[in-house]
Amino acid sequence: MFGRRGNEGPAKSGGVTPPPSSPRAPSAPAPAASTVLVEPAREGSQQRQQVAPPSMQTPTRRRPARTEEYYDTKSQVFSALIDTIDLSQLAKLDAEAAREEIRDIVNDIITIKNFAMSISEQEELLEDICNDVLGYGPLEPLLARDDIADIMVNGAGQTFIEVGGKTVESEIRFRDNAQLLSICQRIVSQVGRRVDESSPICDARLPDGSRVNVIAPPLSIDGPALTIRKFKKDKLTLDQLVRFGAITPEGATLLQIIGRVRCNVVISGGTGSGKTTLLNCLTNYIDRDERVITCEDTAELQLQQPHVVRLETRPPNIEGEGEITMRDLVKNCLRMRPERIIVGEVRGPEVFDLLQAMNTGHDGSMGTIHANTPRECLSRMESMIAMGGFSLPAKTVREIISTSVDVVIQAARLRDGSRRITQITEVMGMEGDVIITQDLMRYEIEGEDAGGKIIGRHMSTGIGKPNFWDRARYYNEEKRLAAALDEMENKSK
């Protein structure tokens, strides 16, 4: 299958005896070869390739620092591999078979060129080259780790990761900015997008659903900046949030009822506070017979209902045409007979169309907004409507907001890295020109322990009958709602 192209480089043949082999390490899942084999020769052999140290693969095992000799050897092997391999045949294989073929050819190359390498060094080299050809190069070990929430690459020489709510620098390095940009192009090309000097900003996603943002030179001065928000393979539930201390059991029951009785919900919070995670949790309580339509810039919601339509925005093409904005999607939703509309992130004039939908028979719609408090969330919604060019009086805009939104849920990431649901706030209506709200629950910080962990507790505000009581009674949830509020009140005393 893999023959020599011309007379360059070694070829796999029966006369070649591979070196003594060691048990092969389990290979990390790689994207399909036909998708990711984007001009690997350009990444290839002219400069040395830096790859992930094992400390990033397993927290307990540390590999010695790579030497110049290792990178020289890798460069030669990679060059010989590209000259030998038939990419058109490789693209026909699945990821695992392609990885095994590459390993076999690299073993042959090492034997023919008589490189002096230990078995462990050879295995490291094999894995590094497989990652370069089939995967995302130095990023592969980080993508394989479940304990990493975010990967932040600030040019070829600096990579940070978030673990346990804290940001730490990783030892991952790229050969140069050209290799980093090539990997960014691989990622965004999989969802039909591109990143280069003419289009230097791009949002995309990995095959597993991880959210990706790329900003390339000339906007990013020190080289391409790549940010990956890792996708959790196991979707979190409210029960797990209770175990993590993000909310109390009674607060979780309150959120379940809010999701079940079709309250219009806005989840507010800062970057990385867990807004999308919380939105996913709430969607678990949508009835399975409801038609749900989601609108997102980058599809990452994981709804389990059988009747879900997922929509995603589209950036303009190279001529600056063909853009589909979030507002276009939300407006189109109204023609698709939705029962609930869920907007992954509200950040512009589409908020007006979402509010209109909430107020015209699409109860139970949800969205997220960047804001630090529920009051700021409502103010931001008002500002977004103004930025959309709507010439409406301020009082009219506030009336639209107060009659559309039922509940604002505030999420926050505290300074110790932990995430908490800090407020559950009802929107009561208008009093004069002011939107009236009331908290059903809030989180109060009491201090911190010797290890720097925040100590606090969720407190009831004493509201015995929330504004959505009649809605809860319509869904036969009033008894459970009363019990949850009573228990919250008792625990707060």
Side-chain angles (χ1 to χ4, degrees), residues 58-80:
T58 55
T60 56
R61 178 173 161 261
R62 190 179 184 86
R63 196 181 289 171
R66 298 287 172 77
T67 63
E68 290 296 315
E69 182 181 359
Y70 173 87
Y71 292 121
D72 285 334
T73 301
K74 181 182 175 186
S75 179
Q76 295 179 53
V77 173
F78 196 97
S79 179

Side-chain angles (χ1 to χ4, degrees), residues 248 250-251 254 439-442 457-465 481-493:
T248 61
E250 301 75 34
L254 181 59
D439 291 342
L440 300 180
M441 186 208 74
R442 61 175 177 265
R457 61 175 181 155
H458 290 90
M459 303 284 293
S460 169
T461 57
I463 303 298
K465 197 170 183 180
L481 176 59
L485 292 172
D486 287 344
E487 187 65 24
M488 287 170 57
E489 176 68 16
N490 292 335
K491 288 188 175 181
S492 298
K493 291 178 180 178

Side-chain angles (χ1 to χ4, degrees), residues 203-345:
D203 287 312
R205 64 178 183 275
L206 295 176
D208 68 354
S210 297
R211 185 199 310 171
V212 178
N213 175 267
V214 180
I215 181 164
L219 302 186
S220 179
I221 296 172
D222 300 320
L226 170 67
T227 308
I228 300 176
R229 173 67 55 86
K230 289 282 297 297
F231 178 87
K232 290 291 185 184
K233 296 179 177 63
D234 299 323
K235 188 176 69 170
L236 290 177
T237 64
L238 279 178
D239 290 339
Q240 289 174 302
L241 295 186
V242 170
R243 289 201 296 272
F244 297 152
I247 189 71
T248 61
E250 301 75 34
T253 301
L254 181 59
L255 293 180
Q256 291 175 19
I257 295 170
I258 288 171
R260 167 84 174 84
V261 305
R262 297 180 64 117
C263 289
N264 292 323
V265 177
V266 175
I267 298 173
S268 167
T271 299
S273 59
K275 298 186 299 297
T276 303
T277 297
L278 183 53
L279 183 57
N280 265 323
C281 291
L282 288 182
T283 59
N284 282 341
Y285 303 98
I286 296 176
D287 289 341
R288 297 181 64 81
D289 60 352
E290 295 184 38
R291 175 174 169 84
V292 183
I293 300 179
T294 68
C295 304
E296 300 174 83
D297 283 316
T298 303
E300 56 184 328
L301 292 174
Q302 309 168 60
L303 274 66
Q304 304 301 311
Q305 286 72 19
H307 199 166
V308 176
V309 180
R310 304 172 71 208
L311 306 180
E312 188 176 57
T313 60
R314 185 178 71 185
N317 59 21
I318 194 169
E319 291 83 19
E321 300 175 349
E323 180 181 16
I324 304 297
T325 66
M326 182 67 77
R327 189 172 184 204
D328 294 330
L329 293 184
V330 176
K331 288 169 68 176
N332 189 73
C333 279
L334 302 178
R335 305 184 185 101
M336 297 175 66
R337 198 204 165 275
E339 290 177 291
R340 297 202 196 210
I341 298 174
I342 298 178
V343 180
E345 185 171 328

Side-chain angles (χ1 to χ4, degrees), residues 12 59 69 90 92 111 120 122 168 177 183 204 212 214 228 256 316 318 324 332 341 352 390 422 445 453:
K12 183 180 175 183
E69 182 181 359
L90 186 69
K92 297 177 182 178
T111 302
S120 62
Q122 184 173 327
V168 296
N177 285 329
I183 290 173
V212 178
V214 180
I228 300 176
Q256 291 175 19
I318 194 169
I324 304 297
N332 189 73
I341 298 174
F352 183 76
F390 300 98
T422 55
I445 297 176
K453 288 291 184 182

